Amino acid sequence: MKSDIWLAAGAAAVGTLLIRMLPLYWIQRRWQRAEGKETIMPSWPGVLAPLMIAALLGISMVPQNTGTEGWSATMMGSLVTLLIWHRTRTLGLPVAFGVAAYALVRMGGS
Amino acid sequence: MNGPVWRLGAREALPLLSGYLPVALSFGLIAGQAGFSAFEATALSLLIYAGASQFLFVGMVAGGAPPWLTVLMTLLINARHVVYSASLAPWLSGSRRWPWLMHGLTDQVFALAHYRLPLLAEQDRMSWFTSTALIAWLGWAGGTLIGSLVGEQIIDRWPLLADALSFALPALFLVLLAPGCTSVRRGAAIVASTLAALILALADMSSIAVPLAAAIGALCFYLLPETTGERRS
């Protein structure tokens, strides 16, 4: 990699880190000046955060194979994931069962 | 350091890893095809640590785009991260370590932290986050290294494995979102945001899908009346 590409990579890395850290740094500075957290916390992140996760879900649900088989596997995997979550209320098991259901449908179709 | 909380964080990062690995393998493979060595591709994963923008970065470099434009486009794609640490702030302390730990705040780690941090005692949160973020970070970098070295052979040999593991991420997001559907209003906003992002991704507009779909979900949330009380999940 040439030196200008290393510089670009460094700039992208520093810029990304600043995007991630500066909002929190700014909020911490405001905490230091204010009496308590609650008085200065905006309410919009509490609404926006789950909606951004929902958007990530929507993007990640598009299967690699966008034919009927890929969508069937996605639907079955999602259904099994939610059913197991409803029964267990845990993180790991629903994901494992969902992936297994997805794989079974994909294997059945290939 | 709190051992059990570190282990909890590491264990909860495992579903993230199964989602990361196929993407990291693909990134290592594509970076190699674009002329990056295994060391360079792994360095990009360790330093930038943001999936979609890394694909864009190697693609633009390989295509001969000017470095300043490559950096600008990379940062534009990552701009959505600006709200992540602010969203987690209510559960973080004033420690100076927290802003630096935000290097590990990817989309997936954010989703997991948004679910888990409120359930942990204040003194356990930093241990849990450090453990989760470290496992995810090393998994991403390790997957990139493996992809650079032997990615082609792995994908040729087990094409279904990579496909099946890629479903771990949507499954994880589903599990993280389900407890948040505490009212019809919140549930409708989440469904609206999910469907909007799905449609935008199918229309090849993934780069703007997250902010746009979240805005549509927020619009839905604020337009719907507060008719139903919050119910406990």
Side-chain angles (χ1 to χ4, degrees), chain B residues 15-206:
Chain B
L16 291 187
L17 280 192
S18 54
Y20 271 8
L21 280 176
V23 187
L25 285 172
S26 306
F27 174 71
L29 183 64
I30 286 168
Q33 288 166 351
F36 290 79
S37 69
F39 169 75
E40 290 163 350
T42 310
L44 288 180
S45 281
L46 284 169
L47 295 172
I48 300 177
Y49 188 34
S53 66
Q54 287 180 220
F55 279 96
L56 182 82
F57 186 93
V58 296
M60 288 185 76
V61 168
W68 67 267
L69 186 61
T70 307
V71 173
L72 184 69
M73 293 306 292
T74 304
L75 295 180
L76 274 178
I77 285 195
N78 293 338
R80 68 183 183 280
H81 291 191
V82 82
V83 300
Y84 287 176
S85 63
S87 300
L88 295 181
W91 301 290
L92 308 183
S93 68
S95 167
R96 288 185 181 182
R97 287 185 197 166
W98 273 119
W100 295 103
L101 286 171
M102 295 299 107
H103 176 59
L105 195 63
T106 60
D107 296 322
Q108 296 78 16
V109 172
F110 163 69
L112 193 55
H114 190 261
Y115 164 84
R116 176 54 71 190
L117 288 177
L119 304 176
L120 290 172
E122 190 168 345
Q123 69 271 18
D124 292 336
R125 288 173 187 159
M126 190 177 282
S127 294
W128 179 88
F129 186 88
T130 307
S131 165
T132 300
L134 198 62
I135 295 282
W137 187 44
L138 295 178
W140 176 253
T144 302
L145 181 63
I146 294 168
S148 299
L149 297 172
V150 290
E152 207 154 351
Q153 291 94 310
I154 290 174
I155 287 171
D156 282 350
R157 193 159 182 181
W158 296 295
L160 257 181
L161 178 71
D163 184 15
L165 283 177
S166 69
F167 185 74
L169 278 184
L172 180 66
F173 288 137
L174 272 173
V175 176
L176 295 174
L177 282 168
C181 294
T182 51
S183 66
V184 173
R185 191 183 181 211
R186 281 184 184 273
I190 284 172
V191 169
S193 185
T194 305
L195 288 179
L198 182 70
I199 291 165
L200 287 166
L202 284 171
D204 211 14
M205 296 165 74
S206 296

Side-chain angles (χ1 to χ4, degrees), chain A residues 1-2 4-17 19-25 27-28 31-32 37 41 43-66 71 73-79 81-82 85 89-92 94-95 98-99 102-103 106-107 110, chain B residues 12 36 39-40 43-44 47-50 57 61 67 71 74-75 78 80-87 89-90 92-95 98-100 102-103 105-107 110-112 114-115 160 163-164 166-168 170-179 189-190 193-194 197-198 201-202 209-210 213-214 217-218 221-222 233:
Chain A
M1 203 155 70
K2 290 180 194 165
D4 59 336
I5 306 301
W6 274 112
L7 270 175
V14 170
T16 302
L17 176 63
I19 286 171
R20 286 171 173 161
M21 76 187 294
L22 279 183
L24 178 63
Y25 179 75
I27 287 172
Q28 285 182 324
W31 284 346
Q32 284 174 356
K37 279 186 185 182
M41 283 307 301
S43 62
W44 59 264
V47 173
L48 201 58
L51 298 176
M52 293 188 83
I53 299 170
L56 293 168
L57 166 67
I59 293 173
S60 65
M61 281 182 93
V62 177
Q64 288 176 9
N65 166 10
T66 50
W71 284 111
T74 301
M75 295 308 288
M76 184 57 75
S78 304
L79 198 64
T81 302
L82 286 174
W85 173 80
R89 306 281 165 145
T90 56
L91 274 183
V95 174
V99 169
Y102 178 92
R106 292 285 284 118
M107 279 194 293
S110 62
Chain B
E12 291 187 342
F36 290 79
F39 169 75
E40 290 163 350
L44 288 180
L47 295 172
I48 300 177
Y49 188 34
F57 186 93
V61 168
V71 173
T74 304
L75 295 180
N78 293 338
R80 68 183 183 280
H81 291 191
V82 82
V83 300
Y84 287 176
S85 63
S87 300
L92 308 183
S93 68
S95 167
W98 273 119
W100 295 103
M102 295 299 107
H103 176 59
L105 195 63
T106 60
D107 296 322
F110 163 69
L112 193 55
H114 190 261
Y115 164 84
L160 257 181
D163 184 15
S166 69
F167 185 74
L172 180 66
F173 288 137
L174 272 173
V175 176
L176 295 174
L177 282 168
I190 284 172
S193 185
T194 305
L198 182 70
L202 284 171
V210 172
F221 180 82
Y222 287 112
S233 61

